[in-house]
Amino acid sequence: MTETLIDFDEVLEKFDPAMGLEVHVELNTNTKMFCGCPAVFGGAPNTNVCPTCLGLPGAMPAVNAKAVESAIRIGLALNCEIAEWCRFARKNYFYPDMPKNFQTSQYDEPIAFEGYLDVEVEGETFRIEIERAHMEEDTGKATHVGGSTGRIQGADYSLIDYNRAGIPLIEIVTKPILNTGAKAPLVAKAYVSALRDLVKALGVSDVRMDQGSMRCDVNLSLAPKGSDKLGTRSETKNVNSLRSVERAVRYEMSRHAGILLSGGSVLQETRHFHESDGTTSSGREKSDAEDYRYFPEPDLVPVAPSREWVEELRATLPEPPAERRVRLQADWGFTDLEMRDAINADAIDLIEETVAAGAAPQAARKWWLSEISRRANEAGVDLVDAGVSPAQVAEVQKLIDAGTLNDKLARQVFDGLFAGEGTPAEIIEKRGLALVSDDGPLLAAIEDALAAQPDIAEKIRGGNVKAAGAIVGAVMKATRGQADAARVQQLIVERLS
Amino acid sequence: MTGGIGAQIRPTRLSAMPELSRDEVRHLADLARIDLSDAELEHLAPQLNVILESVASIQGVAGPDVPATSHPIPMTNVFREDVVVPGLTPQQALAAAPAQEDDKFSVPRILGDEQ
């Protein structure tokens, strides 16, 4: 079905967006939520399973203390209240990704609730209110066999690997995010980014969106401008990169507006996001499938974290990302604009690691925000997945500082890095990129250039040092850019004085 | 929201249990993926009502002073250390599977959508 999409500016003239973001974070505990199986996904199928996570009769779950601790720390970092007493509940549904026919989750008694996270977008701070953060378990992985697309539709049968079933998850749900207007897509991205930084700083998850250890569902609705009523929402799943969060919000705003402006009504449904073209497509309609018949899990006793334990955990919280940014900006001597650009590009961690590997902050900023950002945009990937590491960037910069490379040659080294040709040193060797450090060939090239342009040589002799630029240019051309321009300039002046 | 027994999953204490309608029974059957004919619905709805009435009589005994409970023993915080315990081999895990392929459980074509 072809969607009628409305231009983003027109959407904003007529509607106010409301968002709700649900983020699942897979904890990096040693074991699963309710059993002692390794919490490792991706190995040989059904190797990390036991009677409990396979839902075999008589098996009894037991709560992983470390997972509860991680949940509380995430809650505290999000400025949440921590429940004094809460229970797990069974979420009943028939789908073979959970062999028990229910997922053990929390329903109306989340471990953490009523928090907030402040995020900054283009100099404006938005307070994202957190509704709840609750504990649950991940599901198994289904592979659909047969049919033409490898998807559920048209599949002949499905194969299930339960290694992931039971890995601890924390689901973090925002309250409706209102009054963001044109910045809605950026606010959504900034929130997920800030949440990722926060959880990463806590050390409780790998938070790799590309690997599924952090997953985001985007709820979006539009209301007529000025109305205080929320519209019907769609829930977009599979939004698995920061860039996709922004794109999904933008697309759904345009799609909803297209439906509403043509007099239609938005269907409350699940949508699937498509990374390839930034569109969404219809999943299932929300109807009685939502009837999960939650009830308290009788095999588990309530979790009642003592206030002493909560305060002990509060004392372990790391430096909040917002404060860390203030500190880093001071350390690096970045202007507000430079810092904002770095934050928007999601380059803070990368710059920090590059600086730690020995590069000057401004040099690190320059490479990540220009050359590497450009390539990441071209490839349609997040900066962190662009294909170069902070250590490599630092190494390239060291070679520049040592006079082995100039910026132009460094860009060619990046070409090699993106092409996977090896380390910077190997690429320089293979591509013959190092600057000519021996004066001999440079002097020869200078002689040639001076002979070719005697009038310029005369001007330089007459004291017009600027005129040397033409000779430098000729030498650079003759050495295919592999000369150190400053050294060439110096040699010209010495030669003619 | 505070810790404590949540209103939504607290067993509802009703003085008189309303009768299950045929549509409600059909809905329950749909949720359980059981295909019931109209005749079966006619037959089963009254039986479910008998069960509900029995539960209602228990609820009649428990007065407002008896708190709802989800666990018979008043205990909290039964935790397990985050230490790996050996589980099953794939062969053991799959031993009772009606069908398998590549060490995975093979299940019939799934209608509907992932949760």
Side-chain angles (χ1 to χ4, degrees), chain A residues 22 37 44 56 78 117 122 134 141 168 180 192 194 223 254-255 262 270 275 298 300 305 324 355 394 407 435-436 453:
Chain A
E22 295 174 17
C37 290
L56 298 184
L78 289 168
L117 182 60
E122 292 168 353
H134 73 248
K141 175 78 183 159
T180 53
V192 177
S254 293
R255 188 183 69 85
S262 67
T270 299
E275 197 86 36
L300 294 169
R324 172 172 164 252
V355 170
D407 281 13
L435 283 174
V436 178
Q453 304 180 77

Side-chain angles (χ1 to χ4, degrees), chain A residues 29-36 38 45-47 49 51 54 62-66 68 85 87 93-96 107-110 113 143 152 155-160 162 272 283-284 288 291-294 296 298 300-304, chain B residues 1-10 27-28 30-33 68-73 75-90 93-94 100-115:
Chain A
T29 48
N30 295 326
T31 64
K32 292 185 178 182
M33 188 75 221
F34 303 111
C35 63
N46 293 305
T47 45
V49 293
L54 286 177
V63 175
N64 182 339
K66 183 76 181 173
V68 176
W85 192 94
R87 289 180 296 189
Y93 66 93
F94 283 95
Y95 192 81
Y107 183 46
D108 60 344
E109 301 170 4
F113 50 90
T143 311
I152 295 171
D156 297 323
Y157 57 99
S158 299
L159 296 177
I160 321 280
Y162 288 115
H272 293 296
R284 87 188 120 90
D288 62 21
D291 194 343
Y292 291 125
R293 292 146 293 142
Y294 284 94
L300 294 169
V301 301
V303 173
Chain B
M1 199 182 301
T2 59
I5 298 168
Q8 299 205 48
I9 46 178
R10 188 203 315 250
H27 177 61
L28 281 175
D30 286 346
L31 288 172
R33 305 293 187 269
T69 181
S70 60
H71 201 274
I73 308 164
M75 60 196 305
T76 58
N77 298 338
V78 178
F79 295 142
R80 173 178 59 76
E81 289 305 308
D82 186 25
V83 175
V84 171
V85 176
L88 301 175
T89 63
L94 290 153
Q100 53 174 287
E101 189 177 311
D102 300 335
D103 282 345
K104 294 176 182 172
F105 292 83
S106 179
V107 300
R109 192 163 74 100
I110 297 161
L111 293 174
D113 217 337
E114 282 168 278
Q115 301 296 309

